[in-house]
Amino acid sequence: MSSSKRNDYSEQSLEAHKKYGGKLSIESKMPLDTREDLSIAYTPGVAKPCSEIAEDTSTAYDYTWKKNSVAVVSDGSAVLGLGNIGPEASLPVMEGKCVLFKKFADVDAVPVVLDTQEPDEIIAAVKAIAPTYGGINLEDIAAPNCFKIERRLKKELDIPVMHDDQHGTAVVTLAGMINAMRVTGRKMSELKIVINGSGAAGVAIVKLLQHVGVQEVIMCDSRGILYEGRSEMNAIKKKMAEITNRHTIKGSLGDALEDADVFIGVSVPGVLSKKMIQRMRNNPIIFAMANPIPEIMPDEAHKAGAHIIATGRSDFPNQINNVLAFPGLFRGVLNARARDITYKMYSAAAYAIADCVEDPTPEEIIPSAFDRRVAQKVAETVEDVSKEN
Amino acid sequence: MSSSKRNDYSEQSLEAHKKYGGKLSIESKMPLDTREDLSIAYTPGVAKPCSEIAEDTSTAYDYTWKKNSVAVVSDGSAVLGLGNIGPEASLPVMEGKCVLFKKFADVDAVPVVLDTQEPDEIIAAVKAIAPTYGGINLEDIAAPNCFKIERRLKKELDIPVMHDDQHGTAVVTLAGMINAMRVTGRKMSELKIVINGSGAAGVAIVKLLQHVGVQEVIMCDSRGILYEGRSEMNAIKKKMAEITNRHTIKGSLGDALEDADVFIGVSVPGVLSKKMIQRMRNNPIIFAMANPIPEIMPDEAHKAGAHIIATGRSDFPNQINNVLAFPGLFRGVLNARARDITYKMYSAAAYAIADCVEDPTPEEIIPSAFDRRVAQKVAETVEDVSKEN
C-alpha cells in the first residue's frame, strides 16, 4: 500500500521536538532593555492600564494580549488518529495548532490541556480561565461530549468559542463542495449526500450543508444508516436521524449510496469500496477524509468512476485541511471583537476559501494549505459578517 | 512629597500598552517555511511525540513546552497597590510578570486570569489546566485565600507551585537581611524583628526567617500586635500569634518596636514614625516595603537614626524586588524537573542573591534588579538543592 511507504516524518519529528524542547516561545513585544522600559512595561507604569481596565473591562482589548489571544483547549480524548491519549500526550498537537495560528493569521494562541474528561468539569475550567483570552478553540475532544461542552460555553461565555474538529472541518468541506458544484454544474439543493461517520466532524458537516440549502442527507455510522427509531443511537445521533434521511431509508452504507451524488467520509480507512461507488450517480464526488489513510485511495476511486476526489492528505490533490479555516476564522472574530462565532460566518468563510481557487477543476477545488491569501480573505469576510449583525 | 513628583510612567505605559496591544507574543521555535517543516512540526510527524508521551507521560518534558513553561495565575483580588480589580484588569501585571520571566530566566510564562475568587473553584481550575505547564506561579491573590489555595495545590499537584507575593518577597527580604547581618555583625538568632503587615508577604517572611533561625519575631496588623487570645484575628493570624511573640507582648506597633533590631513593613504608606524608630535598638535596620510609598521615607528614617534602609522602590538604594527571586527559582525547579519548591530552596536562593553583592555596605545589601547573574545563580542553587533531595 502506497501510504505505508511514504515518509511519515516520525523520527524527524521526534528529534525536532526534543532538540527544540517543544514548539512555543513567549516573547515580549515591548522593549525591556532599560530601567525606563521596565517602568513602562511593569511597575510603576502598569498600574495605569490596570486601572483603566478596572473601570471598563472592555478596554482589556486595548491594553492586553486579549485582543489577539486564543486558547487551544483539549482534554486529549480524541487526538488525531491516536484516540484517547490524555492531556500531556496531546500537547504536541496543541502546540502545533498554536504555531499554525501564528503563521497563518498572526494570532497568539496557547495550549491548555485539561486533567479531566468530565464535560461539567471542562466547562467549569474553561469558564474560569476565559477572561484571559479573546477566543476559545476547542480541539480533539471526543463526541458526544464535545457537543455539550461547545453548546454550554458558547451560551455562557462572551467570547467566541469554536470546536475546530467540528466546524473547521465543516467549513473546508463546504468550500470544496462549493467548487465541486462550480465544476459539475450541480446545485446544492438538488444533491443527495451521504456522510459516513457520525462523530464531531460528521454532525457539523451535516448542519453546515443544511445551513446552505442541502436538502437530502443520509448519515451512517459503523452500524449503517441513521434513521428514526433505530436502536443503539446516542442522543446526538437520534437528533441527527430526525433532521436527515427524509425518506427513512434503512440499511448499509452501500444502500445509502444508491444514486447519491456525494460521499463524505469522516470515518475510518478503507470502508468505501469500488462497488459502492458504482452504485452512486454518474461522476460522483468523493471526499474521503479519514487520516492518514482515506476511506478509499484516490486511484481506486478514480477507477470506480469518481469524478472529483478530495482527501485529508497533502500528497494528493484537494486536501481538506482545517488550516484553511481556523486561523482566518479567529483572526476575523478577534478583529471584530465578536462575542460569538456563527453559522453565517462559517458559510461565508467557506465561500471565501472557495473563491481563492480562481478556476476550479476536478483536481483543484481547494486552495493550497500554503496559500497565504486564504486566511486573510476568510478573516475579512468573517469580520464583515460580524459587523453586519 | 517627593513621591508625588516623580514620573510614575502612567501615560507612557498606557500609550505603550495600546500601541503594542499588550506585551506577549507567541512564536514558533521550529521552522515552518516548507511543507516538510509542517510535516515535522504538525501532521503527520507530530503523531510520534504524542505516542511517546502517551506511553510515558514524563516524556512530555522532552517533547513539549512543559519543560520550560509556567502559568502566572491570578484572580485579580490583590493587584499591586490597586486591590481587588478583577481578572481582566490584572492582565497587564501578569503579562509583565511573564516578560520578566523570559528576560531574566528564559522561562516561557503565560498569564491565566480567573473568573472566580472562590478558593475551591480556583483550586479546581488550576488542577484542571496543570498538565499544560511545568510550574504554577500564583500571583496577586488576596490573603487569607492565598494560603489555602497554595497549600492545596502544592499537595495535590506534581509540579512546583509558588505564590510569589508570599515567597518571592520573603526570599528577597531574607537576602537583604543576610547582608544586613554581614554589614552589622549581628546574628539572625539574636535579632528582635517586628513585622508590620499580616497578609501574604508578612506571613511568608516570618516563616522563612524562622526557617533560617530567627527566634524573636513580633507581627502586627492594623490593630497592633498579634498575640494569643487577641480578638479579631482570622485563622492564619491566630496561627501566627501562636508561633511568634514568645513573650506575649500586647500593644501598638510602637510598643512592639521597643528595643527591636529590625522593622519590616509590608503594610501601608507612612505608618512608621521617627519616634517609633527612636524606640528601637541603636542603628536599627528598616525595610519599609509598602509600594509605591513606603512606611517611612528613607530620608526621614535616616534622620531618626536608621542604619540600613531598604524599600520597594527603584529610586532609592536597596530595592527589595521580587524579580531577583522568581525567575531563578522557577528556572531552577524547571531545570531539575522538581515536583515541589521548598523552604530549603527559598533560603538557599536568598543566600545566592545575597552572595551576588561582593562587598555589602549599608547602601548595598541587595544586588541590582538588572544584575543578570542573580537569576542564574539562584537557578543553579535551587537546582542543586533539588537534586540533593
Side-chain angles (χ1 to χ4, degrees):
Chain A
M1 198 161 185
S2 69
S3 67
S4 64
K5 280 186 193 163
R6 70 171 180 159
N7 185 356
D8 64 3
Y9 294 97
S10 288
E11 293 312 317
Q12 286 129 293
S13 184
L14 200 65
E15 217 170 274
H17 280 81
K18 185 138 196 174
K19 174 180 159 196
Y20 291 103
K23 291 186 278 274
L24 300 181
S25 174
I26 312 300
E27 304 291 340
S28 175
K29 294 191 280 191
M30 285 194 199
L32 290 174
D33 300 319
T34 66
R35 199 171 280 272
E36 188 174 39
D37 290 342
L38 280 187
S39 299
I40 291 169
Y42 200 54
T43 55
V46 73
K48 183 69 173 169
C50 292
S51 305
E52 293 288 315
I53 301 169
E55 270 182 40
D56 175 359
T57 306
S58 75
T59 61
Y61 286 95
D62 295 317
Y63 303 122
T64 78
W65 84 333
K66 189 175 173 82
K67 71 183 293 178
N68 204 46
S69 69
V70 167
V72 177
V73 176
S74 185
D75 66 352
S77 59
V79 180
L80 299 177
L82 303 167
N84 189 349
I85 58 175
E88 287 91 349
S90 78
L91 258 179
V93 173
M94 303 313 137
E95 288 189 57
K97 202 96 187 179
C98 293
V99 301
L100 296 178
F101 261 118
K102 191 58 181 260
K103 178 178 175 63
F104 288 102
D106 201 28
V107 169
D108 294 307
V110 286
V112 177
V113 296
L114 299 173
D115 196 23
T116 173
Q117 296 187 343
E118 286 301 316
D120 288 333
E121 291 178 12
I122 292 173
I123 291 162
V126 175
K127 285 178 67 176
I129 64 176
T132 314
Y133 313 102
I136 304 286
N137 180 113
L138 302 172
E139 191 75 27
D140 291 356
I141 298 174
N145 286 351
C146 62
F147 302 115
K148 175 182 177 181
I149 292 165
E150 192 198 41
R151 189 181 67 242
R152 285 270 311 276
L153 289 175
K154 282 179 86 76
K155 194 172 156 190
E156 296 172 30
L157 289 178
D158 62 356
I159 55 174
V161 177
M162 177 177 101
H163 182 209
D164 185 50
D165 304 87
Q166 292 183 62
H167 308 295
T169 307
V171 166
V172 184
T173 301
L174 175 57
M177 204 56 61
I178 289 164
N179 276 338
M181 298 301 97
R182 289 170 179 168
V183 169
T184 61
R186 299 184 202 181
K187 287 183 181 166
M188 291 277 186
S189 56
E190 295 167 2
L191 293 178
K192 177 183 174 184
I193 299 183
V194 175
I195 300 193
N196 195 48
S198 304
V203 167
I205 290 169
V206 169
K207 288 185 177 173
L208 187 56
L209 289 171
Q210 291 181 331
H211 179 81
V212 297
V214 171
Q215 302 294 316
E216 195 170 354
V217 181
I218 297 177
M219 289 192 88
C220 299
D221 64 10
S222 58
R223 291 185 173 81
I225 295 170
L226 302 193
Y227 58 86
E228 283 194 78
R230 201 194 83 172
S231 62
E232 302 192 76
M233 297 200 297
N234 62 26
I236 186 77
K237 287 184 186 180
K238 279 181 190 157
K239 194 188 154 198
M240 297 312 291
E242 282 171 26
I243 63 170
T244 60
N245 193 3
R246 52 167 60 178
H247 304 299
T248 320
I249 294 166
K250 303 175 184 180
S252 66
L253 170 60
D255 298 329
L257 285 168
E258 195 74 41
D259 288 323
D261 296 87
V262 179
F263 166 87
I264 295 175
V266 280
S267 50
V268 290
V271 292
L272 186 66
S273 67
K274 283 198 278 190
K275 276 197 179 151
M276 291 179 195
I277 292 182
Q278 282 154 0
R279 294 176 74 173
M280 296 174 72
R281 206 181 138 188
N282 276 350
N283 294 319
I285 298 162
I286 306 292
F287 283 26
M289 304 192 287
N291 244 332
I293 302 170
E295 284 81 354
I296 187 168
M297 292 303 284
D299 51 343
E300 296 290 301
H302 270 302
K303 280 184 207 159
H307 181 45
I308 295 176
I309 301 165
T311 70
R313 287 170 61 146
S314 60
D315 51 353
F316 292 108
N318 298 327
Q319 186 192 14
I320 305 291
N321 188 331
N322 289 22
V323 80
L324 292 164
F326 70 81
L329 281 167
F330 274 95
R331 178 77 276 152
V333 290
L334 288 172
N335 286 352
R337 298 189 183 181
R339 296 168 62 96
D340 194 12
I341 186 164
T342 64
Y343 270 83
K344 203 170 166 189
M345 294 178 193
Y346 294 147
S347 68
Y351 278 94
I353 295 169
D355 289 345
C356 287
V357 181
E358 273 140 49
D359 188 17
T361 65
E363 280 70 43
E364 194 187 0
I365 54 169
I366 294 285
S368 156
F370 281 84
D371 186 339
R372 300 296 296 262
R373 297 171 310 156
V374 176
Q376 199 187 329
K377 206 151 181 202
V378 169
E380 287 166 7
T381 304
V382 167
E383 190 177 352
D384 287 347
V385 171
S386 169
K387 286 178 175 168
E388 282 167 20
N389 295 338
Chain B
M1 196 161 185
S2 68
S3 68
S4 63
K5 281 188 194 162
R6 70 170 179 159
N7 184 355
D8 64 4
Y9 294 97
S10 288
E11 293 312 317
Q12 287 130 293
S13 184
L14 200 64
E15 217 170 274
H17 280 82
K18 185 140 195 172
K19 173 180 159 196
Y20 291 104
K23 292 187 277 275
L24 300 181
S25 174
I26 311 300
E27 304 292 340
S28 176
K29 294 192 280 190
M30 285 195 201
L32 290 173
D33 300 319
T34 67
R35 200 172 279 271
E36 188 174 38
D37 290 342
L38 280 187
S39 300
I40 290 170
Y42 200 55
T43 57
V46 73
K48 182 69 175 172
C50 292
S51 306
E52 292 288 315
I53 301 168
E55 270 183 39
D56 175 0
T57 307
S58 75
T59 62
Y61 286 95
D62 294 317
Y63 303 122
T64 79
W65 84 333
K66 189 176 173 83
K67 70 183 292 177
N68 204 47
S69 69
V70 167
V72 177
V73 177
S74 185
D75 65 352
S77 59
V79 180
L80 299 176
L82 302 167
N84 188 350
I85 59 176
E88 287 91 349
S90 77
L91 258 178
V93 173
M94 304 312 137
E95 288 189 57
K97 203 93 187 181
C98 293
V99 301
L100 296 178
F101 261 118
K102 191 58 180 261
K103 180 178 174 63
F104 288 102
D106 200 29
V107 169
D108 293 306
V110 286
V112 177
V113 296
L114 299 173
D115 196 23
T116 173
Q117 296 187 344
E118 285 301 317
D120 288 334
E121 291 178 12
I122 293 173
I123 292 162
V126 176
K127 285 178 67 177
I129 65 177
T132 315
Y133 313 102
I136 304 287
N137 181 113
L138 301 172
E139 192 74 27
D140 291 357
I141 298 175
N145 286 351
C146 62
F147 303 114
K148 175 183 179 182
I149 293 165
E150 192 197 42
R151 189 181 65 245
R152 285 270 312 277
L153 289 175
K154 282 179 86 74
K155 194 172 155 190
E156 296 173 30
L157 289 178
D158 62 356
I159 54 175
V161 176
M162 177 177 102
H163 182 209
D164 186 49
D165 304 85
Q166 291 183 64
H167 308 293
T169 307
V171 165
V172 185
T173 302
L174 175 57
M177 205 55 61
I178 289 163
N179 276 338
M181 297 302 97
R182 289 170 179 167
V183 168
T184 60
R186 300 185 201 180
K187 286 184 182 164
M188 292 278 185
S189 56
E190 295 167 2
L191 293 178
K192 178 183 175 185
I193 299 182
V194 175
I195 299 193
N196 195 47
S198 305
V203 168
I205 290 168
V206 169
K207 288 185 177 176
L208 187 56
L209 288 172
Q210 291 182 331
H211 179 82
V212 298
V214 172
Q215 302 294 317
E216 195 169 354
V217 181
I218 297 178
M219 290 192 86
C220 299
D221 64 10
S222 58
R223 290 186 174 80
I225 295 170
L226 302 192
Y227 57 87
E228 283 195 78
R230 200 194 84 172
S231 62
E232 302 193 74
M233 297 199 298
N234 62 26
I236 186 76
K237 287 185 185 180
K238 280 181 189 157
K239 195 187 153 196
M240 296 313 290
E242 282 171 26
I243 63 170
T244 60
N245 192 3
R246 52 167 61 176
H247 305 299
T248 319
I249 295 166
K250 303 174 185 180
S252 65
L253 171 60
D255 298 330
L257 285 168
E258 195 73 41
D259 288 325
D261 297 87
V262 179
F263 167 87
I264 295 174
V266 279
S267 50
V268 290
V271 292
L272 186 66
S273 68
K274 283 196 279 189
K275 275 195 181 155
M276 291 180 196
I277 291 181
Q278 283 153 359
R279 295 176 73 173
M280 296 173 71
R281 208 181 135 186
N282 276 348
N283 294 318
I285 298 162
I286 306 291
F287 282 25
M289 304 192 286
N291 245 332
I293 302 170
E295 283 82 354
I296 186 168
M297 293 301 284
D299 50 345
E300 297 290 301
H302 270 302
K303 280 183 207 159
H307 181 46
I308 295 177
I309 301 164
T311 69
R313 286 171 60 146
S314 59
D315 51 353
F316 292 109
N318 298 327
Q319 186 192 13
I320 304 291
N321 188 328
N322 290 21
V323 80
L324 292 165
F326 69 81
L329 281 167
F330 274 96
R331 178 76 277 155
V333 290
L334 288 171
N335 287 352
R337 298 189 184 180
R339 296 166 63 95
D340 194 12
I341 187 164
T342 63
Y343 270 83
K344 203 170 166 189
M345 294 177 193
Y346 294 147
S347 68
Y351 278 95
I353 295 168
D355 289 346
C356 288
V357 181
E358 273 140 48
D359 188 17
T361 66
E363 280 69 45
E364 195 188 359
I365 53 168
I366 294 285
S368 157
F370 281 84
D371 186 339
R372 300 298 295 262
R373 297 170 310 154
V374 176
Q376 199 186 330
K377 205 149 180 207
V378 169
E380 287 165 8
T381 304
V382 168
E383 189 178 352
D384 287 346
V385 170
S386 169
K387 287 178 176 169
E388 281 167 21
N389 294 338

